[in-house]
Amino acid sequence: MLHRISPLLSLLALLATWEGLVRLAHIPHYTLPAPSLVVQTLFANFTSLAGSWWFTIKITFGALILAIVGGVWIASMFALSRRLEHALFPIAVVLQVTPVVAIAPLILIYVASTTAALLLCAWIVAFFPILSNTVLGLRAADPNLRDLFRLYRATPWQRLRLLLVPSALPYFIAGLKISGGLSLIGAVTAEMVAGAAGRETGLASRILEASFRTDTPKMFAALLLLVITGVAIFWTFNALSRVLLGRWHASEKP
Amino acid sequence: MPGRPLISLQRVDKRFPTGVVALQGIDLQVAEREFVSLLGPSGCGKSTVLRLLAGLERASAGVIDSPAASAARTADTAFVFQDATLMPWATVFDNVRLPLRLAGETRAACDTRVRDVLHLVGLAGFENAYPAELSGGMRMRASIARALITRPRVMLMDEPFAALDEFTRHKLNDDLLACWQTQQFAALFVTHSVLESVFLSQRVLVMGSRQGRIVAEVRIDEPYPRSAAFRSSPSYLAACAELTAALAELHAPIDQVVR
């Protein structure tokens, strides 16, 4: 029982210390707002923040879906042809190692729509773990099982469905867990660079905006929404992993 | 020989792209319903022989005659690996069903056959278990059940019991022979255990360590079914002694070179 509530307790202790410290030391709210003030600000500004929150969520999940589709598609190509992988993998690495903050201004120049530019930035950050993990997973099938499928003259479709996909699934899910968090980071980082350029704005723009006005409690309120989003993504994919890897055993059943 | 040759290698060479010569001019025959063991040190090319016969590798030279190497019905040949090689994400039932499923049979159509073969290998009642829930011996039983499901004419077995403990191995030896007698397949059994090869086989072929060919052949005329008493009979011990001597001779020239 204790190990279940201990994370909650430590979180509450941290918040209580923060609250106590701010009150006792009379720290001004524009330097460090107390947690209570942050929550208050969040509720007071919720209607205006909710729109931005929704925009950030759209960019995050849009980029993640594109990363899944693109990552799995490219990984399948790579798994089919080592030559193709050899030729194209360095490009994927270049995209991965270049800091998105550094290329975001360029992308904003070349891509007319801000939303599309943000999606592209977040995608660049999120797709690599899915790509590299899925490539690894598709190659991870037991060589003896591959031989067995050859011996019984399995069709390429049977080989993919009954051998390669189940073998790759745990690797793919590990990639998904990383990419889920990264797509949020990508979405926020890119918007930080883009600023409030578009008609619709996300939470990053609200944080920038609030910082110009030294509205620290509002910065924290927006940050709180980002934290909630990140934690929700983490939980969702952990649950998905449990469900899929539990079902993965039963996945053979028609 | 009990019948006409079912599988054979004639003057077969196998050279890998790396330049390694695994086999050179090897001749080998296994008749229908015959039990033959292939005995030899590690790295002598025993597994390559099986892979050639299974159609998983192509010979560099020579003639291979086997149902799998030709374009014949693939279900005639079954392969049992040293590792049980089960799909961890599938139940015992689904693992055993795999060859039939790959042949396009529906689950309902193979239900009885899967249950029958699981009964035969002593795994009745474990249909819904996952490989991770089974012991090493039971996993190997499931692997053998999967091989038997197509009612193969040829069973190629690559040191299937090498990783098992002595007791489990003896039990599986007995049960394999029982299956062999009822299922009527020809078996080519690769092993590096002299004792195991003598207990199981009608003929034991000894492969050389460098030459990649058969250097000795020992016949074991003990009738089947072979009981545990056979393991301490004079004919068993004599065959073991003969094979041990053949293996020792194999190493002698190399040892001399080293000295």
Side-chain angles (χ1 to χ4, degrees), chain A residues 6-197:
Chain A
S6 61
L8 195 68
L9 287 178
S10 60
L11 194 66
L12 285 176
L14 184 74
L15 288 175
T17 315
W18 178 357
E19 182 82 37
L21 209 68
V22 170
R23 280 169 193 261
L24 286 176
H26 300 289
I27 299 172
H29 66 81
Y30 50 81
T31 306
L32 181 68
S36 56
L37 182 60
V38 172
V39 174
Q40 238 177 308
T41 315
L42 177 60
F43 279 106
N45 295 284
F46 192 75
T47 37
S48 77
L49 283 174
S52 300
W53 191 19
W54 176 235
F55 181 75
T56 299
I57 288 173
K58 276 195 294 187
I59 296 289
T60 302
F61 282 91
L64 185 61
I65 289 165
L66 291 177
I68 293 170
V69 173
V72 169
W73 184 67
I74 299 170
S76 312
M77 297 286 122
F78 284 4
L80 285 175
S81 159
R82 279 214 184 252
R83 203 174 297 170
L84 196 70
E85 182 186 1
H86 195 71
L88 296 183
F89 202 75
I91 299 176
V93 174
V94 166
L95 280 178
Q96 165 67 8
V97 297
T98 314
V100 72
V101 194
I103 39 171
L106 287 172
I107 290 173
L108 285 160
I109 293 174
Y110 301 130
V111 181
S113 151
T114 314
T115 308
L118 295 182
L119 268 178
L120 185 60
C121 289
W123 178 81
I124 288 172
V125 182
F127 100 103
F128 191 80
I130 291 185
L131 170 68
S132 61
N133 273 32
T134 309
V135 169
L136 200 66
L138 288 172
R139 294 249 161 85
D142 181 344
N144 286 342
L145 274 176
R146 283 175 187 269
D147 282 345
L148 202 74
F149 273 67
R150 267 177 70 201
L151 183 71
Y152 290 115
R153 314 250 158 116
T155 61
W157 171 240
Q158 285 175 327
R159 203 168 64 100
L160 181 74
R161 196 165 55 96
L162 300 177
L163 178 62
L164 298 184
V165 167
S167 300
L169 199 59
Y171 293 82
F172 167 75
I173 288 177
L176 194 61
K177 283 185 189 173
I178 303 170
S179 291
L182 284 182
S183 55
L184 178 63
I185 294 174
V188 172
T189 312
E191 209 199 346
M192 284 281 173
V193 178

Side-chain angles (χ1 to χ4, degrees), chain B residues 3-14:
Chain B
R4 66 176 187 81
L6 179 60
I7 54 176
S8 69
L9 298 180
Q10 288 158 48
R11 297 179 305 283
V12 166
D13 292 354
K14 177 63 189 177

Side-chain angles (χ1 to χ4, degrees), chain B residues 33-211:
Chain B
R33 302 176 58 181
E34 193 184 17
F35 203 116
V36 177
S37 281
L38 200 52
L39 184 67
S42 300
C44 71
K46 304 185 299 275
S47 300
T48 308
V49 168
L50 293 192
R51 293 179 62 81
L52 287 169
L53 288 168
L56 295 172
E57 302 275 358
R58 286 179 184 284
S60 312
V63 181
I64 301 174
D65 193 14
S66 83
S70 66
R73 214 166 63 89
T74 54
D76 279 345
T77 305
F79 203 110
V80 180
F81 300 88
Q82 178 174 352
D83 190 81
T85 311
L86 301 172
M87 301 178 289
W89 55 82
T91 60
V92 167
F93 185 98
D94 286 322
N95 267 292
V96 172
R97 179 169 83 98
L98 180 71
L100 299 181
R101 185 173 190 184
L102 293 177
E105 289 190 36
T106 62
R107 186 186 178 86
C110 36
D111 189 81
T112 332
R113 279 172 77 185
V114 172
R115 281 172 207 285
D116 285 350
V117 80
L118 282 175
H119 184 75
L120 189 70
V121 300
L123 275 184
F126 288 94
E127 288 82 0
N128 295 320
Y130 287 97
E133 298 162 1
L134 303 179
S135 68
M138 288 162 88
R139 279 203 286 272
M140 192 41 80
R141 285 174 188 276
S143 190
I144 291 171
R146 179 181 59 195
L148 289 172
I149 192 80
T150 58
R151 298 196 186 95
R153 287 162 71 207
V154 182
M155 273 278 252
L156 303 170
M157 307 181 87
D158 193 0
E159 304 188 23
F161 309 143
L164 303 177
D165 64 81
E166 190 87 0
F167 295 110
T168 311
R169 185 193 273 225
H170 281 185
K171 187 79 184 77
L172 277 161
N173 283 166
D174 291 340
D175 292 355
L176 175 63
L177 282 185
C179 283
W180 172 68
Q181 286 190 277
T182 57
Q183 303 298 301
Q184 311 189 333
F185 50 84
L188 184 56
F189 189 95
V190 162
T191 178
H192 48 228
S193 162
V194 170
L195 307 180
E196 186 174 53
S197 70
V198 172
F199 183 75
L200 292 174
S201 330
Q202 295 170 301
R203 278 194 300 141
V204 180
L205 306 175
V206 179
M207 273 187 82
S209 52
R210 291 287 184 275
Q211 305 90 328

